[in-house]
Amino acid sequence: MFSIVSNLLGLALFGGIFRAGLSSKCIPPSFVCERGHFRPNSSCTVSNVMLNPSLGEWSTTSRTKDNFNDDVFRVSKCNYSFEKHEVCLRHHADCNLYVSQEAVLFSVYYHYEHGNFYHFFYDTVMPLFSALSTYYTKQQSDGLMLLPFVEHGSLPGFAKGVDWKTRAFHTKSMVNGEVVVTTTVWTNILNVLFGKGNSLVPLDSTFSDKLNLRGNVCFGNVRFGLPKYNHTDTTFLNGFRHFVFLRLKLPPPLPVQDIVRQTGHHALFVKRINRRRILNQEELIANIADILPTTIISFEGMPFREQVRLSTKCTVFIGMQGAGIMNAMYLPSGSAIVVLFQYMAASDSFSSMFAGRARPYLRWVNKDKNNSFVKNESMDPYHDNADTIVDLQAFRGVIEDALAKLKKMASLTENVDDL
């Protein structure tokens, strides 16, 4: 049903599809909103929309709603009427392109030009999957136009609205004296997961060039922002992970009981590079070598497909709390998760997804300030980014507890298909 958009150059070929919409019937004005996920705080589907890329301004013939997040998109009411077909064509004539596909605008978390793997999935990929699941069931032949964007309005010192100068979606470099545009990891993941059959066109400074656009672009229907989704729903989470396996062409992992019968237990210990490091990681692994063979792994710079593939192979997943724990989404059914926390850490971003399911979820929190190390205490008084020395005996106890829980689960159930 879908076809992957592999590079930015190919996007310029979509002009023929858009122009075909010029002869289509006029769409009745419509402006329907629901609760949004994070930023923006509303998700609105709007008909008859025009974008001026040079100004970053949107306009529509539909009456705007009070709960629409206008500080992000700046949608104004235009004076065109779509009641008569000849007027509709006149409006199209003001557009360089007309998009007959349904368009979806969604934000990509890009904090101060540094991406975050956890927020990228939690605030972009997963709500996008939730929103598009209804489109998939319709089996639309034209697919969708996906318009990812970056906005810094929620951050101090940044202007509200779409950041058209972002470098979240592509980078430029000089190769043999020529400028080469390379897609970023965020764009590549979006392409792999959602590009098949859809048109992925990021809203950034290269937007007009990608579409060979020298004017305005009109849309029949646009969804501004993604709706709220339930990240604790087991059915949703299982559906998402199976969707990822399908898109990456990876077989779903065997249940943990089958893995143990074939090869025994094996753990992955996620290594962090820049902050929240485990300073005695090698000692921890040596201290549990007799009960749990463990491999240290770093997801930094690793292709997404390989991250998922490796995560499907272990029975115990260990790591300091942070973005890498998001890959626990792809563990074998029933495997254990052990999350380590820095000094007196209060929040747990992953418990709502993974704790309380048909798998052991265990925590260890550093309560000894002498084992917490920060570069500048005045800049990080709560030790949020602190490096940690983990107590050897306490860590072994957590691992023994995890293995005991796995053994107990194996005696109670077989082939649990649940996160």
Side-chain angles (χ1 to χ4, degrees):
M1 183 175 69
F2 301 93
S3 63
I4 293 180
V5 179
S6 60
N7 57 67
L8 298 179
L9 183 60
L11 295 173
L13 302 177
F14 294 147
I17 297 176
F18 302 150
R19 293 183 187 278
L22 286 171
S23 61
S24 63
K25 294 182 179 180
C26 295
I27 300 173
S30 176
F31 207 122
V32 180
C33 293
E34 59 184 302
R35 185 183 177 189
H37 174 79
F38 188 54
R39 296 278 299 181
N41 55 20
S42 62
S43 177
C44 299
T45 302
V46 186
S47 65
N48 304 319
V49 177
M50 182 171 68
L51 167 65
N52 183 329
S54 62
L55 299 178
E57 295 180 349
W58 302 80
S59 58
T60 179
T61 61
S62 304
R63 181 175 297 178
T64 58
K65 300 288 186 178
D66 292 337
N67 60 339
F68 181 63
N69 198 294
D70 194 52
D71 63 334
V72 174
F73 300 112
R74 304 173 187 172
V75 178
S76 60
K77 181 77 166 59
C78 67
N79 297 321
Y80 293 106
S81 171
F82 281 82
E83 296 178 358
K84 296 182 179 180
H85 190 61
E86 60 270 18
V87 179
C88 179
L89 290 178
R90 172 190 157 195
H91 181 51
H92 289 171
D94 290 335
C95 298
N96 182 248
L97 293 176
Y98 177 75
V99 180
S100 58
Q101 298 168 295
E102 292 193 54
V104 181
L105 277 78
F106 57 96
S107 61
V108 173
Y109 185 91
Y110 194 55
H111 191 93
Y112 290 99
E113 297 190 346
H114 293 282
N116 183 294
F117 192 77
Y118 167 77
H119 283 287
F120 176 66
F121 275 86
Y122 180 79
D123 292 323
T124 298
V125 174
M126 293 171 71
L128 181 59
F129 166 74
S130 177
L132 298 195
S133 60
T134 58
Y135 291 104
Y136 293 152
T137 58
K138 294 179 183 178
Q139 296 185 340
Q140 296 179 184
S141 59
D142 291 339
L144 301 165
M145 170 167 271
L146 304 179
L147 304 173
F149 66 90
V150 168
E151 66 91 17
H152 287 307
S154 61
L155 301 176
F158 286 90
K160 295 180 179 180
V162 174
D163 180 6
W164 288 84
K165 297 181 180 180
T166 181
R167 290 175 292 181
F169 306 110
H170 72 278
T171 57
K172 293 181 179 180
S173 59
M174 295 295 295
V175 178
N176 298 325
E178 296 184 358
V179 177
V180 176
V181 178
T182 305
T183 55
T184 64
V185 62
W186 315 119
T187 309
N188 293 336
I189 292 176
L190 289 173
N191 262 327
V192 169
L193 295 182
F194 303 105
K196 197 175 182 185
N198 301 319
S199 307
L200 181 67
V201 189
L203 290 181
D204 60 15
S205 59
T206 66
F207 176 81
S208 294
D209 292 337
K210 293 169 191 171
L211 299 181
N212 193 25
L213 184 66
R214 294 298 177 266
N216 301 327
V217 55
C218 289
F219 302 85
N221 284 288
V222 177
R223 177 187 279 273
F224 290 90
L226 299 175
K228 189 70 177 177
Y229 76 104
N230 184 3
H231 71 279
T232 67
D233 180 68
T234 300
T235 300
F236 168 78
L237 294 174
N238 279 328
F240 174 73
R241 77 190 220 119
H242 287 303
F243 167 79
V244 172
F245 294 144
L246 178 65
R247 285 293 183 262
L248 297 180
K249 299 181 179 179
L250 288 172
L254 295 172
V256 68
Q257 294 92 336
D258 291 348
I259 295 176
V260 173
R261 280 194 289 265
Q262 292 180 10
T263 61
H265 282 292
H266 181 265
L268 287 182
F269 201 136
V270 181
K271 181 179 181 179
R272 293 182 60 89
I273 303 298
N274 297 319
R275 61 192 182 105
R276 293 189 198 145
R277 297 174 299 171
I278 302 298
L279 299 180
N280 61 334
Q281 200 163 25
E282 298 284 354
E283 290 181 80
L284 295 175
I285 291 176
N287 193 44
I288 62 171
D290 60 318
I291 58 173
L292 182 62
T294 303
T295 301
I296 295 178
I297 186 172
S298 173
F299 290 133
E300 299 286 338
M302 182 182 295
F304 176 55
R305 187 180 189 278
E306 185 65 7
Q307 294 185 42
V308 174
R309 188 190 70 80
L310 289 174
S311 299
T312 65
K313 301 298 183 182
C314 69
T315 59
V316 182
F317 190 85
I318 311 168
M320 170 62 74
Q321 73 110 341
I325 302 298
M326 201 66 180
N327 281 327
M329 182 75 65
Y330 316 111
L331 294 176
S333 299
S335 57
I337 302 173
V338 176
V339 186
L340 311 175
F341 290 82
Q342 70 273 28
Y343 176 65
M344 299 303 288
S347 63
D348 183 351
S349 301
F350 304 99
S351 61
S352 58
M353 288 187 188
F354 303 130
R357 314 281 177 197
R359 68 163 73 254
Y361 179 89
L362 298 93
R363 295 161 40 102
W364 176 87
V365 181
N366 178 26
K367 298 181 180 180
D368 186 351
K369 191 174 182 180
N370 292 325
N371 287 335
S372 181
F373 302 88
V374 294
K375 295 179 179 179
N376 188 326
E377 185 108 19
S378 63
M379 296 292 291
D380 188 13
Y382 299 105
H383 288 225
D384 181 59
N385 297 313
D387 296 335
T388 303
I389 291 179
V390 178
D391 181 86
L392 293 177
Q393 183 177 354
F395 178 73
R396 184 180 175 92
V398 173
I399 297 302
E400 289 175 340
D401 190 16
L403 293 175
K405 291 180 183 298
L406 286 175
K407 184 177 180 179
K408 182 179 180 181
M409 285 181 57
S411 65
L412 295 175
T413 183
E414 288 286 333
N415 299 329
V416 177
D417 184 20
D418 194 302
L419 283 167

